[in-house]
């Protein structure tokens, strides 16, 4: 039981970007550029994900089965690759949000103590 | 599901780097276009918008490469990376690497070596076409324990006519012949065969032709021979025009019609009258033996099952035929059945159990080696926490770390495997001695492809086996703890410690099973060696002489030769006495037959009184030092003339004359068409003739005139070293007849040793493996205890500062180690109890659960383990508490 908690803590640093991506596509299918835009919007223009980090993270998420992708004809007629959240991805998103909340709470407590 | 995704992604990636990169390229370009379009929307001119997009994107190639790596395309690249990293880590700790690789090399090497024999003997296809369908055919008598009796050619003719399960049946009979002309006279192992034998086995001559039915026409003397590749090379220098040349066999000219290919061998050792595979074949006709009352059972037979006929169906058919013959010829066939034995079982049966035991033993050794290396890795993992924590903080996932650590252990095991291969290469020559001589020769055990594949597989498996637990354990990083804390006072995680405890118990248990197995074999061998053969084998020299019937056509002439030879040998300086016998103990298969006792009813049909028969002269019992227990032995007159007298052994007296004095009784031994009674004049001690183990057989000793053998073994008792008489004895024989081949000039002790050679070698090997296991286990315990003492340095320092004395510390450490060892000993005893049963067929005079062996080896292992614990404990106890507490 104790171990589980520790693992969650350790993965949090890497998991943050994954969480943001999952959150972004949870509202509907998006292409890579759209994901960056949506994260920026959602964060109130505070978070700017770099392309260099986005695509490796996206591919990783796809391999883990959290998102699925498909090339489709876009509005302009150009082929675009759209990412959709899978059921596994939704579950993962919940787990990550929960652990993020825990960490935020913990940090807040620590800060209050100072 | 997730695994499936990863797998399919990997597969896609493997399918084409180009396709994956193209996909990524398109996606990234799409991204750039969108960014540029957005820039244009914000009012930038198109050209500048594009440049701005590229600028924000960063290094396009590096992004693409990283993305590609994630998509699994970089599998090979990451593997190479891992291997390079692993190589660096191993090179950084040469001591650890050397110990681990050597440990594994011992394990893998032993396995490779034993497997190479197993592969050659038990797995490799036999070199005959349709070998899987070839069966050896024996008769069996229900009154005898042996299920494999030589067959009657007369019965064989009936089988061949009636059986439908076989598409070919053949008879063969080993018989040494003397080869003269061109060079030294030589005794050559030969085989009389029905002409279809080669076709049955599916092997064609490399030169000339095989036999045709015409070669064995009834009533016609055989005039053609087929020779082996080896004989062709040796006697004819490989001459290509050998076909049609003449050789002299037993003084009779024969013409060579064929040469069998190199490596061809046909030898069924069980019940064969020869000790070596034939090098020469003669066609044999069965017609002279068709009258079953006139010829006994003496030949070997082989058959090939028709396609699609299973063994049990063929056996059932043969049972029916045997039943029919029983009622048709009750006097001859009552109580006789037929046994079919698949060729592979026949040829490797005697060695198979021992080989499997050895294979199991080396498996255990490898497991122990694995446990040791796993322990080393675990101990090292404790020291690598920081490195792993850093890598994990840098973003390496747990799976990535486990993979990296596994790469390291597999690299280690491959290194060990390569070293092991060298070890095996070097030892495999010696192992050839294990292989049955009727199956494969010295050249045929080796490191061929299947063996190399086995070694590779064993190494890989080993690497994963010993690497997995430590890797999983090491990767279980408590990130912040590890980074924060120094190794000070850290006794290692309790999980790691528990795992190491279990590993110690496991290796102690494995070692004990092996020790007990080897101990039983050694005790059995010692028992076997202590068996009294019933004669004094020291200082005896033997030589065999076979007289060609052309120059010694009648029995009187042959007999005269042997009398002269013995007399001549007796006069050699250094010879105490000399004698001639039909078949010497341990040097040849004997003759056995049935007999009746005068004044007693004959046994019912299907049963008989059985006895071995040997033909000896008056000096035999004195030369062999076989004691006379009752009556007397032969006089020179009785040996020279045909007086109807015989001497029997104690077993005969015990089995057939219980509570009576056999001396003066008359028995009729069936060795000819018209057997006559002979009087028993004495009883001598039991001598062993074939093997040291097993029951003693009743024996009748006869004089030469009653049964003249044209081939006899001369035996002489030397005053000193019998070997020094070899050359003079040979000269003495050839002084009488210079064309006679003198064979098997060797000591009696040599014959006995040879009869036990394989048992001795197998026992020695098993003992060596057990010793190796013991050493590995001791080293393993020592290593873990040393490590644990270092880790507990701090605690020990505190204890000592608080007043613990050296003795207390000593006991503390030893108790901890010994507790694990005792668990292992308990497990090992249980394991041995369950496993040594497989040895029972190999043991002589000792039970598979012999308590003395079990107990003494458990004690030995405990004692050795105690020492392995004591040394680190003493180090711990001697430590200065101040230094210990400051230990970092």
């Amino acid at each position: 039981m104790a171990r589980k908690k520790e693992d969650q803590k350790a993965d949090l640093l890497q998991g943050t970007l994954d969480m943001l991506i999952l959150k972004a596509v949870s509202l509907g299918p998006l292409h890579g550029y759209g994901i960056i835009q949506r994260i920026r919007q959602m964060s109130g223009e505070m978070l700017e994900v770099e392309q260099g980090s986005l695509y490796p993270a996206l591919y990783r998420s796809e391999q883990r089965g959290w998102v699925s992708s498909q090339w489709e004809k876009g509005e302009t007629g150009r082929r675009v690759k759209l990412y959709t959240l899978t059921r596994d991805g939704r579950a993962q998103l919940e787990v990550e949000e929960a652990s993020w909340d825990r960490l935020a709470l913990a940090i807040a407590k620590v800060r209050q103590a100072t | 599901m997730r695994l499936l995704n990863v797998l399919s992604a990997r597969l896609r990636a493997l399918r084409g780097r180009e396709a994956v990169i193209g996909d990524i390229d398109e996606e990234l370009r799409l991204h750039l276009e969108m960014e540029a379009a957005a820039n244009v929307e914000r009012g930038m001119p198109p050209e500048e918008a594009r440049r701005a997009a590229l600028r924000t994107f960063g290094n396009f190639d590096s992004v693409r490469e990283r993305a590609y790596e994630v998509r699994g395309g970089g599998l090979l690249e990451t593997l190479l990376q891992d291997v390079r990293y692993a190589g660096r880590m191993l090179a950084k700790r040469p001591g650890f690497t050397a110990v681990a690789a050597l440990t594994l090399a011992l394990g893998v090497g032993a396995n490779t070596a034993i497997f190479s024999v197993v592969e050659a003997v038990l797995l490799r296809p036999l070199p005959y076409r349709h070998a899987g369908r070839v069966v050896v055919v024996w008769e069996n008598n229900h009154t005898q324990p042996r299920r494999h009796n030589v067959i009657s050619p007369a019965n064989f003719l009936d089988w061949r006519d009636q059986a439908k399960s076989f598409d070919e049946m053949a008879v063969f009979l080993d018989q040494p012949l003397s080869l003269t002309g061109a060079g030294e006279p030589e005794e050559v192992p030969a085989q009389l065969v029905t002409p279809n034998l080669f076709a049955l086995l599916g092997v064609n001559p490399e030169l000339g032709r095989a036999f045709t039915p015409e070669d064995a026409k009834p009533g016609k003397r055989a005039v053609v021979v087929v020779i082996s590749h080896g004989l062709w090379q040796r006697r004819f220098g490989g001459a290509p025009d050998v076909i049609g040349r003449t050789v002299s066999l037993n003084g009779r000219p024969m013409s060579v019609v064929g040469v069998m290919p190199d490596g061809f061998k046909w030898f069924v050792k069980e019940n064969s009258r020869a000790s070596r595979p034939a090098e020469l074949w003669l066609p044999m006709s069965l017609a002279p033996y068709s009258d079953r009352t006139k010829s006994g059972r003496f030949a070997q037979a082989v058959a090939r099952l028709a396609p699609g006929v299973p063994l049990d169906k063929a056996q059932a058919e043969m049972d029916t035929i045997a039943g029919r013959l029983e009622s048709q010829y009750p006097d001859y066939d009552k109580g006789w059945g037929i046994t079919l034995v698949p060729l592979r079982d026949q040829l490797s049966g005697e060695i198979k159990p021992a080989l499997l035991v050895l294979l199991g033993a080396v498996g255990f050794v490898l497991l122990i080696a694995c446990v040791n290396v796993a322990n080393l890795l675990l101990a090292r993992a404790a020291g690598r926490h920081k490195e792993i924590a850093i890598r994990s903080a840098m973003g390496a996932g747990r799976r990535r770390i486990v993979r990296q650590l596994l790469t390291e252990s597999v690299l280690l095991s491959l290194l060990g495997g390569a070293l092991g291969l060298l070890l095996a290469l070097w030892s495999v020559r010696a192992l050839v001695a294990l292989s049955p001589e009727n199956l494969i020769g010295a050249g045929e055990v080796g490191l061929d492809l299947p063996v190399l594949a086995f070694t590779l597989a064993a190494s890989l498996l080993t690497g994963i086996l010993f690497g997995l637990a430590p890797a999983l354990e090491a990767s279980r990083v408590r990130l912040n703890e590890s980074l924060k804390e120094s190794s000070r006072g850290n006794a290692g995680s309790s999980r790691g410690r528990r795992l190491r405890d279990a590993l110690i118990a496991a290796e102690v248990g494995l070692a004990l099973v092996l020790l007990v197995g080897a101990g039983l074999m050694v005790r059995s061998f010692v028992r076997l060696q202590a068996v009294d053969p019933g004669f004094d084998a020291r200082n005896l020299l033997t030589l065999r002489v076979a007289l060609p019937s052309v120059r010694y056509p009648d029995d009187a002439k042959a007999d005269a030769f042997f009398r002269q030879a013995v007399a001549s040998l007796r006069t050699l300086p250094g010879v105490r006495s000399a004698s001639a016998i039909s078949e010497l103990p341990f040097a040849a298969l004997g003759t056995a037959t049935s007999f009746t006792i005068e004044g007693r009813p004959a046994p019912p049909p299907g049963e008989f009184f059985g006895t071995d028969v040997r033909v000896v002269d008056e000096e035999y019992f004195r030369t062999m030092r076989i004691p006379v227990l009752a009556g007397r032995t032969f006089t020179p007159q009785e040996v020279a003339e045909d007086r109807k007298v015989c001497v029997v052994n104690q077993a005969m007296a015990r089995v057939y004359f219980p509570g009576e004095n056999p001396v003066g009784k008359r028995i009729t031994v069936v060795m000819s068409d018209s057997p006559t009674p002979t009087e028993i004049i004495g009883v001598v001690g039991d001598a062993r003739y074939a093997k040291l183990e097993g029951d003693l057989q009743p024996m009748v000793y006869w004089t030469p005139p009653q049964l003249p053998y044209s081939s006899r073994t001369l035996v002489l008792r030397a005053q000193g070293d019998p070997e020094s008489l070899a050359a003079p004895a040979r000269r003495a024989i050839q002084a009488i007849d210079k064309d006679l081949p003198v064979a098997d000039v060797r000591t009696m002790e040599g014959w006995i040793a040879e009869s036990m050679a394989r048992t001795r070698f197998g026992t020695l090997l098993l003992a060596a493996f057990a010793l190796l296991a013991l050493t590995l286990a001791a080293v393993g315990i020592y290593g873990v205890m040393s490590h644990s003492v270092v880790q507990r340095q701090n605690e020990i320092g505190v204890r000592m500062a608080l007043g613990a004395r050296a003795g207390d510390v000593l006991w503390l450490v030893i108790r901890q180690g010994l507790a694990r060892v005792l668990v292992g000993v308990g497990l090992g005893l249980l394991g041995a109890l369950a496993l040594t049963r497989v040895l029972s067929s190999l043991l002589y005079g000792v039970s598979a659960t012999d308590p003395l062996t079990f107990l003494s080896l458990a004690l030995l292992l405990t004692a050795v383990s105690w020492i392995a614990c004591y040394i680190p404990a003493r180090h711990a106890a001697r430590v200065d508490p101040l230094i210990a507490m400051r230990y970092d």
Side-chain angles (χ1 to χ4, degrees):
Chain A
M1 200 58 226
R3 174 146 337 277
K4 190 147 196 247
K5 252 186 202 158
E6 280 172 3
D7 280 354
Q8 284 170 351
K9 258 191 271 172
D11 289 341
L12 215 62
L13 292 169
Q14 306 144 237
T16 312
L17 178 57
D18 291 345
M19 181 183 74
L20 294 177
I21 292 172
L22 295 183
K23 184 73 188 171
V25 293
S26 72
L27 305 174
L30 280 175
H31 45 64
Y33 182 76
I35 291 172
I36 293 182
Q37 300 310 312
R38 183 161 296 165
I39 290 175
R40 186 165 49 207
Q41 272 173 15
M42 291 190 305
S43 67
E45 313 285 320
M46 296 267 284
L47 289 177
E48 176 84 41
V49 177
E50 280 189 34
Q51 297 91 323
S53 316
L54 173 74
Y55 286 99
L58 251 181
Y59 295 155
R60 202 161 33 235
S61 294
E62 187 179 7
Q63 285 197 350
R64 289 174 181 167
W66 296 338
V67 297
S68 61
S69 71
Q70 223 167 351
W71 284 98
E72 271 169 28
K73 275 259 160 61
E75 299 144 21
T76 57
R78 174 139 184 16
R79 240 157 62 96
V80 294
K81 197 176 182 186
L82 291 180
Y83 292 88
T84 316
L85 192 67
T86 64
R87 200 190 308 178
D88 276 2
R90 194 165 296 282
Q92 178 66 18
L93 179 59
E94 276 165 25
V95 170
E96 291 194 5
E97 281 180 334
S99 74
W100 181 258
D101 287 347
R102 259 200 315 279
L103 184 70
L105 189 68
I107 290 176
K109 276 185 181 160
V110 171
R111 285 176 52 81
Q112 280 161 12
T114 317
Chain B
M1 189 60 212
R2 215 155 117 179
L3 192 70
L4 219 68
N5 277 322
V6 175
L7 261 163
S8 66
R10 288 277 145 87
L11 279 177
R12 253 182 285 131
L14 281 174
R15 205 175 50 209
R17 182 183 160 90
E18 295 310 315
V20 176
I21 289 205
D23 187 82
I24 294 172
D25 255 11
E26 187 179 352
E27 188 170 12
L28 295 185
R29 276 181 214 296
L30 171 71
H31 188 105
L32 280 177
E33 280 167 31
M34 287 179 164
E35 180 98 45
N39 286 346
V40 169
E41 237 168 71
R42 279 188 217 113
M44 276 190 213
E47 188 52 27
E48 204 194 320
R50 219 176 55 77
R51 268 205 304 274
L54 261 176
R55 229 179 3 255
T56 36
F57 199 90
N59 184 338
F60 186 86
D61 285 341
S62 104
V63 169
R64 190 177 63 179
E65 206 45 50
R66 269 171 56 206
Y68 174 64
E69 212 172 283
V70 172
R71 290 272 289 255
L75 190 60
L76 200 64
E77 284 96 320
T78 37
L79 184 65
L80 278 176
Q81 223 176 41
D82 281 356
V83 169
R84 268 198 303 272
Y85 183 80
R88 273 204 307 278
M89 291 313 286
L90 293 181
K92 233 161 84 182
R93 290 176 177 76
F96 161 82
T97 306
V99 169
L102 272 179
T103 306
L104 291 170
L106 288 173
V108 174
N111 273 275
T112 301
I114 295 296
F115 181 77
S116 69
V117 181
V118 169
E119 192 266 336
V121 175
L122 300 182
L123 301 179
R124 193 182 299 166
L126 294 166
Y128 312 109
R129 203 188 307 148
H130 311 304
R133 281 166 33 203
V134 177
V135 293
V136 175
V137 189
W138 300 110
E139 293 200 45
N140 66 66
N141 186 284
H142 72 91
T143 58
Q144 287 185 311
R146 270 192 339 170
R147 300 289 295 162
H148 298 173
N149 198 93
V150 278
I151 63 126
S152 147
N155 278 342
F156 175 87
L157 289 173
D158 282 318
W159 306 339
R160 200 177 58 187
D161 289 345
Q162 298 177 23
K164 296 195 171 50
S165 302
F166 308 102
D167 53 17
E168 203 77 77
M169 296 181 88
V171 168
F172 55 101
L173 177 65
D174 287 304
Q175 188 174 72
L177 297 173
S178 64
L179 181 66
T180 47
E184 281 271 296
E186 183 184 2
E187 189 187 292
V188 183
Q191 207 168 48
L192 304 174
V193 302
T194 50
N196 62 343
L197 178 77
F198 300 119
L200 187 157
L201 297 175
V203 182
N204 295 318
E206 63 176 334
L207 269 182
R209 62 170 177 89
F211 297 128
T212 61
E214 280 67 47
D215 292 330
K217 270 268 175 64
K220 194 177 120 191
R221 249 189 206 297
V223 289
V224 293
V225 293
V226 168
I227 62 175
S228 73
H229 180 88
L231 191 70
W232 176 44
Q233 295 296 322
R234 197 174 73 239
R235 286 299 283 216
F236 299 94
D241 60 346
V242 66
I243 302 301
R245 286 219 208 163
T246 301
V247 292
S248 173
L249 284 174
N250 278 14
R252 195 166 289 134
M254 303 278 222
S255 139
V256 176
V257 293
V259 178
M260 292 308 285
D262 194 11
F264 173 77
K265 193 187 284 186
W266 179 247
F267 184 40
V268 175
K269 189 163 191 238
E270 184 176 16
N271 290 327
S272 166
R273 304 188 64 84
S275 54
R276 284 185 293 154
E279 293 188 86
L280 195 138
W281 293 270
L282 294 154
M284 173 194 204
S285 163
L286 296 181
Y289 309 109
S290 56
D291 181 353
R292 68 193 72 224
T293 52
K294 283 193 176 163
S295 72
R297 296 178 166 84
F298 59 90
Q300 296 174 303
V302 60
R304 193 177 64 209
L305 293 168
V309 176
L311 182 68
D312 51 354
K313 206 173 143 238
Q315 180 66 62
E317 186 188 18
M318 293 309 272
D319 290 345
T320 313
I321 294 174
R324 214 149 43 212
L325 292 178
E326 272 191 275
S327 50
Q328 216 170 334
Y329 308 101
D331 290 346
Y332 190 75
D333 280 331
K334 181 88 189 140
W336 286 91
I338 301 163
T339 312
L340 300 180
V341 184
L343 185 59
R344 164 88 63 186
D345 294 354
Q346 179 68 47
L347 296 188
S348 61
E350 57 174 332
I351 188 69
K352 191 174 172 184
L355 261 187
L356 292 183
V357 165
L358 283 175
L359 194 65
V362 289
F364 272 39
V365 170
L366 187 59
L367 275 180
I368 294 175
C370 277
V371 169
N372 262 5
V373 177
N375 257 328
L376 278 174
L377 284 175
L378 272 177
R380 232 187 59 164
R384 285 179 76 175
H385 262 147
K386 252 189 181 171
E387 171 205 335
I388 289 161
I390 289 170
R391 297 200 59 196
S392 156
M394 303 270 283
R398 178 156 180 221
R399 200 180 316 172
R400 184 81 183 73
I401 290 175
V402 169
R403 200 170 74 191
Q404 165 62 49
L405 291 173
L406 270 185
T407 307
E408 226 173 289
S409 52
V410 168
L411 195 67
L412 196 58
S413 72
L414 287 177
L415 194 67
L419 282 175
L421 210 54
L422 288 180
L423 214 66
L425 201 63
W426 171 71
S427 59
V428 91
R429 290 280 137 243
L431 288 180
V432 172
L434 265 180
S435 56
E437 54 216 300
N438 57 5
L439 187 54
I440 47 173
E444 291 156 60
V445 174
L447 303 181
D448 50 9
L449 213 58
V451 176
L452 291 178
F454 169 85
T455 308
L456 185 67
S459 304
L460 287 175
L461 204 69
T462 306
I464 292 168
L465 194 63
F466 71 70
L468 198 58
L472 287 177
E473 182 55 32
S475 66
R476 214 182 283 280
V477 184
R478 283 140 299 273
L479 190 58
N480 33 11
E481 284 167 39
S482 299
L483 285 178
K484 197 165 60 193
E485 105 199 338
S486 72
S487 58
R488 169 180 267 263
N490 180 12
S493 75
S494 64
R495 270 184 75 89
R497 213 166 48 216
R498 270 205 305 278
L499 195 55
R500 284 201 292 275
D501 286 355
L503 287 178
I504 284 198
E507 77 179 333
V508 166
L510 289 170
L512 186 57
V513 172
L514 213 47
L515 276 173
V516 168
L520 289 172
M521 290 296 286
V522 169
R523 284 202 64 188
S524 148
F525 186 72
V526 169
R527 286 267 167 97
L528 189 61
Q529 229 173 1
V531 169
D532 178 11
F535 56 87
D536 183 0
R538 291 167 301 173
N539 305 104
L540 287 180
L541 185 76
T542 76
L543 31 139
R544 195 171 68 251
V545 177
L547 301 178
S549 52
V550 168
R551 280 186 294 124
Y552 294 87
D554 59 89
D555 300 339
K557 208 170 168 195
D559 214 44
F561 168 84
F562 282 110
R563 300 194 66 75
Q564 193 186 349
V566 168
S568 161
L569 289 176
R570 215 171 276 159
T571 60
L572 288 177
V575 172
R576 274 184 203 279
S577 62
S579 166
I581 179 174
S582 52
E583 288 129 341
L584 195 71
F586 297 96
L589 210 75
T591 306
T593 188
S594 61
F595 69 100
T596 53
I597 302 169
E598 206 174 77
R600 277 198 223 169
E607 283 173 38
F608 59 85
F609 301 152
T611 180
D612 286 357
V613 177
R614 293 292 184 283
V615 173
V616 301
D617 60 20
E618 71 273 15
E619 286 287 320
Y620 180 70
F621 302 106
R622 199 164 71 86
T623 306
M624 297 293 280
R625 295 194 174 145
I626 297 173
V628 181
L629 303 175
R632 59 180 182 85
T633 59
F634 304 118
T635 64
Q637 286 71 36
E638 283 164 340
V639 173
E641 301 157 23
D642 194 355
R643 306 267 185 86
K644 301 295 180 193
V645 289
C646 67
V647 170
V648 299
N649 71 350
Q650 211 181 351
M652 166 74 91
R654 196 173 50 239
V655 173
Y656 294 108
F657 301 96
E660 290 178 78
N661 184 2
V663 175
K665 296 270 187 326
R666 284 153 64 86
I667 57 174
T668 305
V669 179
V670 183
M671 282 304 287
S672 63
D673 300 348
S674 49
T676 49
T678 50
E679 183 187 338
I680 299 172
I681 57 168
V683 178
V684 296
D686 289 325
R688 294 196 170 265
Y689 275 76
K691 289 189 286 186
L692 286 176
E693 67 264 38
D695 291 336
L696 284 155
Q697 296 296 321
M699 170 73 79
V700 172
Y701 292 102
W702 260 6
T703 54
Q706 301 179 76
L707 185 65
Y709 276 76
S710 64
S711 160
R712 295 180 207 175
T713 301
L714 299 160
V715 55
L716 38 95
R717 178 164 294 282
Q719 276 159 0
D721 174 21
E723 304 249 28
S724 65
L725 290 172
R730 190 189 287 268
R731 276 198 301 275
I733 300 296
Q734 289 184 334
I736 304 172
D737 183 339
K738 68 171 173 44
D739 279 339
L740 277 185
V742 178
D744 290 335
V745 184
R746 52 192 303 192
T747 66
M748 192 70 224
E749 284 177 319
W751 283 113
I752 295 183
E754 191 186 278
S755 81
M756 294 194 294
R758 191 178 297 149
T759 315
R760 183 206 327 267
F761 191 58
T763 307
L764 216 68
L765 269 182
L766 196 59
F769 292 145
L771 222 60
L772 187 59
L774 179 66
T775 313
L776 285 177
V779 167
I781 295 168
Y782 172 80
V784 169
M785 289 314 291
S786 302
H787 178 74
S788 131
V789 163
V790 168
Q791 297 234 300
R792 294 175 69 184
Q793 195 82 288
N794 226 321
E795 173 206 335
I796 290 168
V798 171
R799 280 174 190 269
M800 291 180 83
L802 292 177
R805 277 161 310 166
D808 300 331
V809 172
L810 200 66
W811 176 234
L812 176 80
V813 177
I814 291 182
R815 194 181 53 197
Q816 180 203 3
L818 226 46
R820 305 156 174 177
V821 168
L822 288 178
V823 171
V825 167
L827 289 175
L829 283 177
L830 288 179
L833 215 53
L835 284 176
T836 50
R837 286 175 206 290
V838 305
L839 288 176
S840 22
S841 73
L842 302 172
L843 294 177
Y844 172 80
V846 52
S847 139
T849 53
D850 178 49
L852 187 65
T853 310
F854 273 66
L855 220 64
S856 55
L857 288 168
L859 277 177
L860 171 75
L861 184 59
T862 312
V864 170
S865 308
W866 186 84
I867 295 172
C869 292
Y870 176 78
I871 300 171
R874 206 184 45 184
H875 276 294
R878 280 197 181 157
V879 103
D880 181 344
L882 277 179
I883 294 173
M885 282 163 71
R886 243 185 261 136
Y887 175 82
D888 209 24

